[in-house]
Amino acid sequence: MMDTFFLYSGIFLGIIMFLSLYRAVFGPTVLDRLIGVNAIGSKTTVMLILVGLLYNRVDMFVDIALAYALLNFIAVLAASRYFQKKKGLYEEAP
Amino acid sequence: MINWLSAILVIGGLIFFFGGSIGIIRFPDFYSRLHPAGKLDTAGQLFTMSGIALYIAQDASLHTFLTAAKIVLIVIFIYITSPTATHAIIDAGVRAGLKPWTKEGQS
């Protein structure tokens, strides 16, 4: 019973990711896209543990989720440090 | 009993996630979008992960306690890094000269 509940919550989380994917695709500025990617990254760590529960190998997936959270953090820092000076920040209006 | 508690926690976490992604879409400006992105994702993770840790720590053995402790460590790590990441994004936005959105009435 609990497994089906975790399965449905995982599916719901996947649907939520599509919402923040919208911002990652249509975001006017590059940093909006960074917000979308950061949101998806933080949702993926939870999704990983839900998947771990479904496969009954939680201790393996917890390590994967921890590594993913680390990488997501580093990626966001590097990207924001990179986009600070690039011109691609303003509205892409002509 | 513990199943119900962890189910409620996970559902609460999903509500936070849902609010966060809706907020990311609807808010008018880059700076205001970061409020839901930073806060609600962190809160959603707290509730969902604690619900799962509770569910795992149910059949009490050292192994499950270790896994639940690792999940709590992930939550603590995310509580430290998510605001930092949001600050880095805002810092990049301010440095690049992105002006915050103001109501059309006042300029």
Side-chain angles (χ1 to χ4, degrees), chain A residues 2 6 9 16 19 23 31-32 39 42-43 45-46 49 53 58-59 62-63 66 70 73 77 80 84 89-90, chain B residues 3 6 14 21 24-25 30 33 37 41 45 48-49 52 55-56 63 70 74 77 81 88 92-93 95-96:
Chain A
M2 281 306 280
F6 285 128
S9 59
I16 287 178
L19 289 176
R23 182 53 59 196
L31 287 176
D32 290 324
S42 60
K43 291 182 182 60
T45 48
V46 178
I49 295 190
L53 271 172
V58 190
D59 43 8
V62 162
D63 300 339
L66 185 62
L70 282 163
F73 173 56
L77 283 186
S80 62
Q84 167 169 293
L89 273 187
Y90 298 99
Chain B
N3 278 1
S6 70
L14 289 180
S21 53
I24 283 177
I25 291 175
F30 158 69
R33 263 177 223 129
D41 278 354
Q45 248 156 351
T48 314
M49 297 270 205
I52 294 173
Y55 176 71
I56 288 170
H63 181 62
K70 257 194 259 184
I74 290 182
F77 173 74
T81 55
R95 290 232 178 122

mmCIF file of all heavy atoms in Angstrom, chain A residues 2 6 9 16 19 23 31-32 39 42-43 45-46 49 53 58-59 62-63 66 70 73 77 80 84 89-90, chain B residues 3 6 14 21 24-25 30 33 37 41 45 48-49 52 55-56 63 70 74 77 81 88 92-93 95-96:
data_model
loop_
_atom_site.group_PDB
_atom_site.id
_atom_site.type_symbol
_atom_site.label_atom_id
_atom_site.label_comp_id
_atom_site.label_asym_id
_atom_site.label_seq_id
_atom_site.Cartn_x
_atom_site.Cartn_y
_atom_site.Cartn_z
ATOM 1 N N MET A 2 1.932 1.145 0.863
ATOM 2 C CA MET A 2 2.791 2.340 0.915
ATOM 3 C C MET A 2 3.586 2.460 -0.377
ATOM 4 O O MET A 2 3.879 3.563 -0.827
ATOM 5 C CB MET A 2 3.772 2.227 2.097
ATOM 6 C CG MET A 2 3.143 2.568 3.425
ATOM 7 S SD MET A 2 2.348 4.179 3.417
ATOM 8 C CE MET A 2 3.751 5.239 3.633
ATOM 9 N N PHE A 6 4.096 5.738 -2.643
ATOM 10 C CA PHE A 6 5.359 6.373 -3.038
ATOM 11 C C PHE A 6 5.463 6.446 -4.553
ATOM 12 O O PHE A 6 6.006 7.407 -5.112
ATOM 13 C CB PHE A 6 6.540 5.596 -2.464
ATOM 14 C CG PHE A 6 6.729 5.813 -0.996
ATOM 15 C CD1 PHE A 6 6.822 4.752 -0.127
ATOM 16 C CD2 PHE A 6 6.773 7.107 -0.484
ATOM 17 C CE1 PHE A 6 6.990 4.966 1.236
ATOM 18 C CE2 PHE A 6 6.930 7.330 0.876
ATOM 19 C CZ PHE A 6 7.046 6.245 1.736
ATOM 20 N N SER A 9 3.381 9.435 -5.569
ATOM 21 C CA SER A 9 4.016 10.718 -5.218
ATOM 22 C C SER A 9 5.208 10.958 -6.126
ATOM 23 O O SER A 9 5.486 12.101 -6.510
ATOM 24 C CB SER A 9 4.440 10.701 -3.753
ATOM 25 O OG SER A 9 5.324 9.641 -3.543
ATOM 26 N N ILE A 16 5.440 17.793 -11.561
ATOM 27 C CA ILE A 16 5.806 19.126 -11.067
ATOM 28 C C ILE A 16 7.075 19.595 -11.758
ATOM 29 O O ILE A 16 7.255 20.769 -12.081
ATOM 30 C CB ILE A 16 5.984 19.072 -9.541
ATOM 31 C CG1 ILE A 16 4.634 18.956 -8.848
ATOM 32 C CG2 ILE A 16 6.687 20.311 -9.037
ATOM 33 C CD1 ILE A 16 4.749 18.848 -7.359
ATOM 34 N N LEU A 19 6.528 21.590 -14.717
ATOM 35 C CA LEU A 19 6.164 22.998 -14.512
ATOM 36 C C LEU A 19 7.423 23.855 -14.433
ATOM 37 O O LEU A 19 7.548 24.890 -15.078
ATOM 38 C CB LEU A 19 5.344 23.115 -13.224
ATOM 39 C CG LEU A 19 3.929 22.548 -13.280
ATOM 40 C CD1 LEU A 19 3.268 22.651 -11.912
ATOM 41 C CD2 LEU A 19 3.102 23.280 -14.300
ATOM 42 N N ARG A 23 9.834 27.165 -16.954
ATOM 43 C CA ARG A 23 10.671 28.344 -16.707
ATOM 44 C C ARG A 23 12.055 28.126 -17.283
ATOM 45 O O ARG A 23 12.700 29.049 -17.797
ATOM 46 C CB ARG A 23 10.750 28.579 -15.188
ATOM 47 C CG ARG A 23 11.538 29.796 -14.763
ATOM 48 C CD ARG A 23 11.100 31.047 -15.430
ATOM 49 N NE ARG A 23 9.711 31.367 -15.189
ATOM 50 C CZ ARG A 23 9.050 32.256 -15.931
ATOM 51 N NH1 ARG A 23 9.659 32.871 -16.920
ATOM 52 N NH2 ARG A 23 7.791 32.517 -15.697
ATOM 53 N N LEU A 31 19.370 33.808 -16.231
ATOM 54 C CA LEU A 31 19.310 33.437 -14.815
ATOM 55 C C LEU A 31 17.961 32.826 -14.474
ATOM 56 O O LEU A 31 17.857 32.023 -13.552
ATOM 57 C CB LEU A 31 19.585 34.676 -13.970
ATOM 58 C CG LEU A 31 21.053 35.097 -13.996
ATOM 59 C CD1 LEU A 31 21.249 36.375 -13.217
ATOM 60 C CD2 LEU A 31 21.920 34.009 -13.421
ATOM 61 N N ASP A 32 16.877 33.176 -15.240
ATOM 62 C CA ASP A 32 15.614 32.474 -15.012
ATOM 63 C C ASP A 32 15.776 31.004 -15.343
ATOM 64 O O ASP A 32 15.249 30.136 -14.643
ATOM 65 C CB ASP A 32 14.523 33.094 -15.895
ATOM 66 C CG ASP A 32 14.176 34.479 -15.413
ATOM 67 O OD1 ASP A 32 14.181 34.675 -14.197
ATOM 68 O OD2 ASP A 32 13.959 35.357 -16.254
ATOM 69 N N ALA A 39 15.603 24.360 -9.611
ATOM 70 C CA ALA A 39 14.397 23.766 -9.029
ATOM 71 C C ALA A 39 14.310 22.294 -9.408
ATOM 72 O O ALA A 39 14.060 21.434 -8.556
ATOM 73 C CB ALA A 39 13.166 24.517 -9.524
ATOM 74 N N SER A 42 16.789 20.235 -7.351
ATOM 75 C CA SER A 42 16.438 19.946 -5.957
ATOM 76 C C SER A 42 15.295 18.951 -5.892
ATOM 77 O O SER A 42 15.198 18.163 -4.939
ATOM 78 C CB SER A 42 16.049 21.239 -5.254
ATOM 79 O OG SER A 42 14.934 21.805 -5.905
ATOM 80 N N LYS A 43 14.427 18.937 -6.929
ATOM 81 C CA LYS A 43 13.357 17.933 -6.905
ATOM 82 C C LYS A 43 13.902 16.559 -7.222
ATOM 83 O O LYS A 43 13.405 15.538 -6.753
ATOM 84 C CB LYS A 43 12.259 18.311 -7.895
ATOM 85 C CG LYS A 43 11.487 19.538 -7.487
ATOM 86 C CD LYS A 43 10.395 19.815 -8.478
ATOM 87 C CE LYS A 43 9.632 21.074 -8.107
ATOM 88 N NZ LYS A 43 10.466 22.282 -8.067
ATOM 89 N N THR A 45 16.658 15.184 -6.250
ATOM 90 C CA THR A 45 17.219 14.459 -5.108
ATOM 91 C C THR A 45 16.104 13.722 -4.358
ATOM 92 O O THR A 45 16.287 12.588 -3.927
ATOM 93 C CB THR A 45 17.861 15.458 -4.146
ATOM 94 O OG1 THR A 45 16.947 16.531 -3.924
ATOM 95 C CG2 THR A 45 19.129 16.022 -4.689
ATOM 96 N N VAL A 46 14.916 14.359 -4.270
ATOM 97 C CA VAL A 46 13.826 13.669 -3.577
ATOM 98 C C VAL A 46 13.321 12.515 -4.428
ATOM 99 O O VAL A 46 13.079 11.403 -3.937
ATOM 100 C CB VAL A 46 12.691 14.676 -3.283
ATOM 101 C CG1 VAL A 46 11.540 13.976 -2.620
ATOM 102 C CG2 VAL A 46 13.205 15.795 -2.422
ATOM 103 N N ILE A 49 15.354 9.352 -4.006
ATOM 104 C CA ILE A 49 15.105 8.525 -2.819
ATOM 105 C C ILE A 49 13.775 7.800 -2.960
ATOM 106 O O ILE A 49 13.627 6.645 -2.555
ATOM 107 C CB ILE A 49 15.145 9.414 -1.564
ATOM 108 C CG1 ILE A 49 16.549 9.956 -1.396
ATOM 109 C CG2 ILE A 49 14.748 8.630 -0.352
ATOM 110 C CD1 ILE A 49 16.800 10.628 -0.103
ATOM 111 N N LEU A 53 13.192 3.820 -2.731
ATOM 112 C CA LEU A 53 12.198 3.104 -1.918
ATOM 113 C C LEU A 53 11.500 2.058 -2.764
ATOM 114 O O LEU A 53 11.250 0.941 -2.314
ATOM 115 C CB LEU A 53 11.186 4.102 -1.373
ATOM 116 C CG LEU A 53 11.556 4.722 -0.034
ATOM 117 C CD1 LEU A 53 10.589 5.825 0.316
ATOM 118 C CD2 LEU A 53 11.563 3.665 1.042
ATOM 119 N N VAL A 58 17.334 1.457 -0.538
ATOM 120 C CA VAL A 58 17.363 2.870 -0.205
ATOM 121 C C VAL A 58 18.796 3.313 0.086
ATOM 122 O O VAL A 58 19.210 4.397 -0.315
ATOM 123 C CB VAL A 58 16.469 3.131 1.018
ATOM 124 C CG1 VAL A 58 16.298 4.617 1.221
ATOM 125 C CG2 VAL A 58 15.117 2.491 0.820
ATOM 126 N N ASP A 59 19.608 2.433 0.738
ATOM 127 C CA ASP A 59 20.932 2.922 1.151
ATOM 128 C C ASP A 59 21.792 3.244 -0.062
ATOM 129 O O ASP A 59 22.604 4.164 -0.025
ATOM 130 C CB ASP A 59 21.613 1.879 2.036
ATOM 131 C CG ASP A 59 21.415 0.487 1.472
ATOM 132 O OD1 ASP A 59 20.898 0.417 0.334
ATOM 133 O OD2 ASP A 59 21.748 -0.480 2.142
ATOM 134 N N VAL A 62 20.329 6.614 -1.443
ATOM 135 C CA VAL A 62 20.579 7.791 -0.596
ATOM 136 C C VAL A 62 21.941 8.377 -0.936
ATOM 137 O O VAL A 62 22.099 9.597 -1.049
ATOM 138 C CB VAL A 62 20.484 7.370 0.882
ATOM 139 C CG1 VAL A 62 21.150 8.386 1.773
ATOM 140 C CG2 VAL A 62 19.050 7.198 1.281
ATOM 141 N N ASP A 63 22.923 7.493 -1.183
ATOM 142 C CA ASP A 63 24.249 8.022 -1.555
ATOM 143 C C ASP A 63 24.175 8.746 -2.881
ATOM 144 O O ASP A 63 24.751 9.830 -3.044
ATOM 145 C CB ASP A 63 25.244 6.857 -1.643
ATOM 146 C CG ASP A 63 25.356 6.153 -0.309
ATOM 147 O OD1 ASP A 63 24.993 6.810 0.695
ATOM 148 O OD2 ASP A 63 25.755 4.995 -0.269
ATOM 149 N N LEU A 66 22.646 12.092 -2.329
ATOM 150 C CA LEU A 66 23.575 13.031 -1.683
ATOM 151 C C LEU A 66 24.560 13.574 -2.698
ATOM 152 O O LEU A 66 24.792 14.790 -2.789
ATOM 153 C CB LEU A 66 24.320 12.308 -0.561
ATOM 154 C CG LEU A 66 25.238 13.178 0.300
ATOM 155 C CD1 LEU A 66 24.436 14.240 1.009
ATOM 156 C CD2 LEU A 66 25.983 12.328 1.297
ATOM 157 N N LEU A 70 25.052 17.504 -3.990
ATOM 158 C CA LEU A 70 26.349 18.207 -4.027
ATOM 159 C C LEU A 70 26.585 18.794 -5.406
ATOM 160 O O LEU A 70 26.904 19.973 -5.556
ATOM 161 C CB LEU A 70 27.451 17.214 -3.690
ATOM 162 C CG LEU A 70 27.637 16.850 -2.215
ATOM 163 C CD1 LEU A 70 28.458 15.591 -2.094
ATOM 164 C CD2 LEU A 70 28.333 17.976 -1.496
ATOM 165 N N PHE A 73 24.464 21.787 -6.334
ATOM 166 C CA PHE A 73 24.905 23.025 -5.681
ATOM 167 C C PHE A 73 26.105 23.611 -6.405
ATOM 168 O O PHE A 73 26.132 24.795 -6.762
ATOM 169 C CB PHE A 73 25.236 22.697 -4.222
ATOM 170 C CG PHE A 73 25.861 23.826 -3.491
ATOM 171 C CD1 PHE A 73 25.232 25.050 -3.411
ATOM 172 C CD2 PHE A 73 27.089 23.675 -2.874
ATOM 173 C CE1 PHE A 73 25.804 26.094 -2.727
ATOM 174 C CE2 PHE A 73 27.652 24.720 -2.176
ATOM 175 C CZ PHE A 73 27.019 25.932 -2.112
ATOM 176 N N LEU A 77 26.413 27.247 -8.466
ATOM 177 C CA LEU A 77 27.419 28.271 -8.125
ATOM 178 C C LEU A 77 28.256 28.613 -9.344
ATOM 179 O O LEU A 77 28.456 29.788 -9.679
ATOM 180 C CB LEU A 77 28.326 27.738 -7.018
ATOM 181 C CG LEU A 77 27.760 27.746 -5.608
ATOM 182 C CD1 LEU A 77 28.831 27.334 -4.626
ATOM 183 C CD2 LEU A 77 27.226 29.116 -5.255
ATOM 184 N N SER A 80 26.225 30.590 -11.939
ATOM 185 C CA SER A 80 25.935 31.994 -11.601
ATOM 186 C C SER A 80 27.215 32.806 -11.626
ATOM 187 O O SER A 80 27.220 33.960 -12.053
ATOM 188 C CB SER A 80 25.301 32.054 -10.209
ATOM 189 O OG SER A 80 26.213 31.550 -9.268
ATOM 190 N N GLN A 84 27.634 36.136 -14.611
ATOM 191 C CA GLN A 84 27.610 37.452 -13.995
ATOM 192 C C GLN A 84 28.011 38.514 -14.988
ATOM 193 O O GLN A 84 27.491 39.618 -14.970
ATOM 194 C CB GLN A 84 28.551 37.312 -12.829
ATOM 195 C CG GLN A 84 29.051 38.384 -12.092
ATOM 196 C CD GLN A 84 29.723 37.802 -10.847
ATOM 197 O OE1 GLN A 84 29.111 37.245 -9.965
ATOM 198 N NE2 GLN A 84 31.025 37.865 -10.854
ATOM 199 N N LEU A 89 22.107 38.337 -20.436
ATOM 200 C CA LEU A 89 21.244 38.389 -19.270
ATOM 201 C C LEU A 89 19.991 39.187 -19.529
ATOM 202 O O LEU A 89 18.989 38.973 -18.901
ATOM 203 C CB LEU A 89 22.009 39.041 -18.118
ATOM 204 C CG LEU A 89 22.844 38.059 -17.306
ATOM 205 C CD1 LEU A 89 23.414 38.770 -16.118
ATOM 206 C CD2 LEU A 89 21.945 36.913 -16.845
ATOM 207 N N TYR A 90 20.040 40.110 -20.476
ATOM 208 C CA TYR A 90 18.907 41.012 -20.576
ATOM 209 C C TYR A 90 17.799 40.346 -21.355
ATOM 210 O O TYR A 90 18.001 39.308 -21.982
ATOM 211 C CB TYR A 90 19.353 42.314 -21.257
ATOM 212 C CG TYR A 90 20.397 42.986 -20.414
ATOM 213 C CD1 TYR A 90 21.739 42.845 -20.715
ATOM 214 C CD2 TYR A 90 20.054 43.666 -19.261
ATOM 215 C CE1 TYR A 90 22.706 43.401 -19.909
ATOM 216 C CE2 TYR A 90 21.011 44.225 -18.455
ATOM 217 C CZ TYR A 90 22.331 44.092 -18.779
ATOM 218 O OH TYR A 90 23.287 44.632 -17.979
ATOM 219 N N ASN B 3 3.087 4.734 9.277
ATOM 220 C CA ASN B 3 2.852 4.877 7.832
ATOM 221 C C ASN B 3 2.041 6.115 7.556
ATOM 222 O O ASN B 3 2.351 6.887 6.649
ATOM 223 C CB ASN B 3 2.105 3.641 7.325
ATOM 224 C CG ASN B 3 3.091 2.533 7.071
ATOM 225 O OD1 ASN B 3 4.278 2.708 7.294
ATOM 226 N ND2 ASN B 3 2.592 1.403 6.622
ATOM 227 N N SER B 6 4.133 9.271 7.999
ATOM 228 C CA SER B 6 5.094 9.552 6.914
ATOM 229 C C SER B 6 4.342 9.915 5.648
ATOM 230 O O SER B 6 4.783 10.777 4.875
ATOM 231 C CB SER B 6 5.958 8.319 6.675
ATOM 232 O OG SER B 6 5.171 7.313 6.094
ATOM 233 N N LEU B 14 5.046 17.469 -0.909
ATOM 234 C CA LEU B 14 4.654 17.619 -2.310
ATOM 235 C C LEU B 14 3.871 18.910 -2.506
ATOM 236 O O LEU B 14 4.022 19.584 -3.526
ATOM 237 C CB LEU B 14 3.820 16.422 -2.751
ATOM 238 C CG LEU B 14 4.620 15.123 -2.896
ATOM 239 C CD1 LEU B 14 3.714 13.995 -3.322
ATOM 240 C CD2 LEU B 14 5.734 15.308 -3.898
ATOM 241 N N SER B 21 6.807 25.336 -7.630
ATOM 242 C CA SER B 21 6.903 25.387 -9.102
ATOM 243 C C SER B 21 5.853 26.328 -9.671
ATOM 244 O O SER B 21 6.099 27.021 -10.657
ATOM 245 C CB SER B 21 6.725 23.983 -9.651
ATOM 246 O OG SER B 21 5.544 23.432 -9.133
ATOM 247 N N ILE B 24 7.313 29.726 -9.302
ATOM 248 C CA ILE B 24 8.384 30.025 -10.269
ATOM 249 C C ILE B 24 7.783 30.496 -11.571
ATOM 250 O O ILE B 24 8.284 31.408 -12.232
ATOM 251 C CB ILE B 24 9.240 28.764 -10.490
ATOM 252 C CG1 ILE B 24 10.178 28.549 -9.306
ATOM 253 C CG2 ILE B 24 10.056 28.883 -11.756
ATOM 254 C CD1 ILE B 24 11.004 27.304 -9.416
ATOM 255 N N ILE B 25 6.612 29.959 -11.945
ATOM 256 C CA ILE B 25 6.032 30.341 -13.240
ATOM 257 C C ILE B 25 5.341 31.686 -13.134
ATOM 258 O O ILE B 25 5.513 32.569 -13.965
ATOM 259 C CB ILE B 25 5.037 29.256 -13.698
ATOM 260 C CG1 ILE B 25 5.798 27.992 -14.061
ATOM 261 C CG2 ILE B 25 4.238 29.742 -14.886
ATOM 262 C CD1 ILE B 25 4.892 26.857 -14.407
ATOM 263 N N PHE B 30 12.474 38.305 -12.155
ATOM 264 C CA PHE B 30 13.515 37.334 -11.807
ATOM 265 C C PHE B 30 13.715 37.263 -10.309
ATOM 266 O O PHE B 30 13.796 36.187 -9.715
ATOM 267 C CB PHE B 30 14.793 37.756 -12.528
ATOM 268 C CG PHE B 30 16.031 37.231 -11.911
ATOM 269 C CD1 PHE B 30 16.308 35.894 -11.973
ATOM 270 C CD2 PHE B 30 16.915 38.062 -11.242
ATOM 271 C CE1 PHE B 30 17.447 35.374 -11.390
ATOM 272 C CE2 PHE B 30 18.045 37.550 -10.659
ATOM 273 C CZ PHE B 30 18.321 36.209 -10.735
ATOM 274 N N ARG B 33 10.894 35.638 -8.473
ATOM 275 C CA ARG B 33 10.776 34.199 -8.733
ATOM 276 C C ARG B 33 11.677 33.412 -7.808
ATOM 277 O O ARG B 33 11.472 32.227 -7.568
ATOM 278 C CB ARG B 33 11.172 33.914 -10.175
ATOM 279 C CG ARG B 33 9.979 33.829 -11.077
ATOM 280 C CD ARG B 33 10.394 33.614 -12.501
ATOM 281 N NE ARG B 33 9.605 34.455 -13.378
ATOM 282 C CZ ARG B 33 10.146 35.249 -14.296
ATOM 283 N NH1 ARG B 33 11.460 35.311 -14.420
ATOM 284 N NH2 ARG B 33 9.404 35.986 -15.056
ATOM 285 N N ALA B 37 11.401 29.669 -5.415
ATOM 286 C CA ALA B 37 12.371 28.657 -5.835
ATOM 287 C C ALA B 37 13.264 28.274 -4.667
ATOM 288 O O ALA B 37 13.515 27.104 -4.398
ATOM 289 C CB ALA B 37 13.213 29.208 -6.974
ATOM 290 N N ASP B 41 11.261 24.999 -2.235
ATOM 291 C CA ASP B 41 11.927 23.736 -2.549
ATOM 292 C C ASP B 41 12.612 23.185 -1.312
ATOM 293 O O ASP B 41 12.556 21.982 -1.029
ATOM 294 C CB ASP B 41 12.956 23.961 -3.660
ATOM 295 C CG ASP B 41 12.254 23.938 -5.016
ATOM 296 O OD1 ASP B 41 11.041 23.644 -5.030
ATOM 297 O OD2 ASP B 41 12.902 24.218 -6.024
ATOM 298 N N GLN B 45 11.606 19.724 0.508
ATOM 299 C CA GLN B 45 12.561 18.638 0.720
ATOM 300 C C GLN B 45 12.573 18.223 2.177
ATOM 301 O O GLN B 45 12.607 17.025 2.494
ATOM 302 C CB GLN B 45 13.955 19.117 0.327
ATOM 303 C CG GLN B 45 14.459 18.428 -0.884
ATOM 304 C CD GLN B 45 15.502 19.238 -1.584
ATOM 305 O OE1 GLN B 45 15.725 20.392 -1.253
ATOM 306 N NE2 GLN B 45 16.138 18.640 -2.537
ATOM 307 N N THR B 48 9.397 16.060 2.789
ATOM 308 C CA THR B 48 9.374 14.767 2.090
ATOM 309 C C THR B 48 10.450 13.848 2.636
ATOM 310 O O THR B 48 10.197 12.682 2.942
ATOM 311 C CB THR B 48 9.610 15.029 0.596
ATOM 312 O OG1 THR B 48 8.791 16.121 0.183
ATOM 313 C CG2 THR B 48 9.286 13.837 -0.214
ATOM 314 N N MET B 49 11.653 14.384 2.819
ATOM 315 C CA MET B 49 12.747 13.536 3.279
ATOM 316 C C MET B 49 12.501 13.040 4.698
ATOM 317 O O MET B 49 12.762 11.872 5.019
ATOM 318 C CB MET B 49 14.062 14.326 3.249
ATOM 319 C CG MET B 49 14.471 14.770 1.885
ATOM 320 S SD MET B 49 15.490 13.571 1.083
ATOM 321 C CE MET B 49 16.371 14.621 -0.025
ATOM 322 N N ILE B 52 10.089 10.209 4.540
ATOM 323 C CA ILE B 52 10.694 8.955 4.076
ATOM 324 C C ILE B 52 11.618 8.400 5.154
ATOM 325 O O ILE B 52 11.653 7.188 5.408
ATOM 326 C CB ILE B 52 11.449 9.213 2.760
ATOM 327 C CG1 ILE B 52 10.466 9.577 1.655
ATOM 328 C CG2 ILE B 52 12.280 8.029 2.360
ATOM 329 C CD1 ILE B 52 11.106 10.009 0.380
ATOM 330 N N TYR B 55 9.589 6.666 7.576
ATOM 331 C CA TYR B 55 9.097 5.378 7.057
ATOM 332 C C TYR B 55 10.199 4.331 7.099
ATOM 333 O O TYR B 55 9.973 3.173 7.418
ATOM 334 C CB TYR B 55 8.603 5.581 5.628
ATOM 335 C CG TYR B 55 8.172 4.316 4.948
ATOM 336 C CD1 TYR B 55 7.015 3.675 5.323
ATOM 337 C CD2 TYR B 55 8.947 3.775 3.923
ATOM 338 C CE1 TYR B 55 6.618 2.509 4.696
ATOM 339 C CE2 TYR B 55 8.550 2.615 3.290
ATOM 340 C CZ TYR B 55 7.390 1.996 3.685
ATOM 341 O OH TYR B 55 7.003 0.846 3.063
ATOM 342 N N ILE B 56 11.443 4.757 6.815
ATOM 343 C CA ILE B 56 12.544 3.789 6.783
ATOM 344 C C ILE B 56 12.924 3.378 8.199
ATOM 345 O O ILE B 56 13.147 2.200 8.477
ATOM 346 C CB ILE B 56 13.748 4.413 6.056
ATOM 347 C CG1 ILE B 56 13.462 4.517 4.565
ATOM 348 C CG2 ILE B 56 14.997 3.614 6.292
ATOM 349 C CD1 ILE B 56 14.462 5.314 3.829
ATOM 350 N N HIS B 63 20.903 -0.815 10.645
ATOM 351 C CA HIS B 63 21.062 -0.479 9.229
ATOM 352 C C HIS B 63 20.082 0.606 8.832
ATOM 353 O O HIS B 63 20.437 1.617 8.234
ATOM 354 C CB HIS B 63 20.817 -1.754 8.422
ATOM 355 C CG HIS B 63 20.972 -1.541 6.957
ATOM 356 N ND1 HIS B 63 22.154 -1.141 6.384
ATOM 357 C CD2 HIS B 63 20.083 -1.648 5.947
ATOM 358 C CE1 HIS B 63 21.998 -1.028 5.091
ATOM 359 N NE2 HIS B 63 20.741 -1.308 4.790
ATOM 360 N N LYS B 70 21.420 9.206 7.278
ATOM 361 C CA LYS B 70 21.981 9.787 6.049
ATOM 362 C C LYS B 70 20.983 10.706 5.384
ATOM 363 O O LYS B 70 21.336 11.768 4.875
ATOM 364 C CB LYS B 70 22.380 8.664 5.094
ATOM 365 C CG LYS B 70 23.881 8.414 5.062
ATOM 366 C CD LYS B 70 24.244 7.554 3.891
ATOM 367 C CE LYS B 70 24.456 6.122 4.325
ATOM 368 N NZ LYS B 70 24.911 5.288 3.199
ATOM 369 N N ILE B 74 21.292 14.645 4.437
ATOM 370 C CA ILE B 74 21.023 15.302 3.147
ATOM 371 C C ILE B 74 20.178 16.532 3.380
ATOM 372 O O ILE B 74 20.421 17.610 2.822
ATOM 373 C CB ILE B 74 20.314 14.318 2.191
ATOM 374 C CG1 ILE B 74 21.263 13.219 1.752
ATOM 375 C CG2 ILE B 74 19.792 15.050 0.969
ATOM 376 C CD1 ILE B 74 20.633 12.263 0.781
ATOM 377 N N PHE B 77 22.267 19.264 4.730
ATOM 378 C CA PHE B 77 23.146 19.797 3.677
ATOM 379 C C PHE B 77 22.370 20.719 2.761
ATOM 380 O O PHE B 77 22.816 21.826 2.440
ATOM 381 C CB PHE B 77 23.720 18.624 2.888
ATOM 382 C CG PHE B 77 24.501 19.060 1.686
ATOM 383 C CD1 PHE B 77 25.754 19.606 1.828
ATOM 384 C CD2 PHE B 77 23.961 18.951 0.412
ATOM 385 C CE1 PHE B 77 26.461 20.033 0.728
ATOM 386 C CE2 PHE B 77 24.653 19.358 -0.695
ATOM 387 C CZ PHE B 77 25.913 19.906 -0.545
ATOM 388 N N THR B 81 22.926 24.606 1.646
ATOM 389 C CA THR B 81 23.385 25.002 0.317
ATOM 390 C C THR B 81 22.313 25.712 -0.483
ATOM 391 O O THR B 81 22.624 26.554 -1.313
ATOM 392 C CB THR B 81 23.783 23.747 -0.469
ATOM 393 O OG1 THR B 81 22.660 22.860 -0.466
ATOM 394 C CG2 THR B 81 24.973 23.094 0.112
ATOM 395 N N ALA B 88 23.833 33.152 -4.634
ATOM 396 C CA ALA B 88 24.778 33.292 -5.747
ATOM 397 C C ALA B 88 24.051 33.732 -7.007
ATOM 398 O O ALA B 88 24.525 34.599 -7.749
ATOM 399 C CB ALA B 88 25.468 31.954 -5.982
ATOM 400 N N ALA B 92 24.663 37.231 -9.031
ATOM 401 C CA ALA B 92 24.953 37.339 -10.465
ATOM 402 C C ALA B 92 23.980 38.295 -11.123
ATOM 403 O O ALA B 92 24.349 39.121 -11.951
ATOM 404 C CB ALA B 92 24.850 35.948 -11.091
ATOM 405 N N GLY B 93 22.679 38.213 -10.711
ATOM 406 C CA GLY B 93 21.687 39.088 -11.341
ATOM 407 C C GLY B 93 21.971 40.542 -11.030
ATOM 408 O O GLY B 93 21.938 41.417 -11.910
ATOM 409 N N ARG B 95 24.845 41.926 -10.159
ATOM 410 C CA ARG B 95 26.086 42.383 -10.818
ATOM 411 C C ARG B 95 25.841 42.637 -12.292
ATOM 412 O O ARG B 95 26.400 43.548 -12.881
ATOM 413 C CB ARG B 95 27.169 41.313 -10.671
ATOM 414 C CG ARG B 95 27.643 41.218 -9.244
ATOM 415 C CD ARG B 95 29.135 41.317 -9.110
ATOM 416 N NE ARG B 95 29.453 41.250 -7.676
ATOM 417 C CZ ARG B 95 30.239 40.323 -7.182
ATOM 418 N NH1 ARG B 95 30.770 39.437 -7.972
ATOM 419 N NH2 ARG B 95 30.509 40.291 -5.900
ATOM 420 N N ALA B 96 24.999 41.806 -12.899
ATOM 421 C CA ALA B 96 24.765 41.995 -14.332
ATOM 422 C C ALA B 96 23.828 43.170 -14.570
ATOM 423 O O ALA B 96 23.526 43.483 -15.706
ATOM 424 C CB ALA B 96 24.185 40.730 -14.922
#
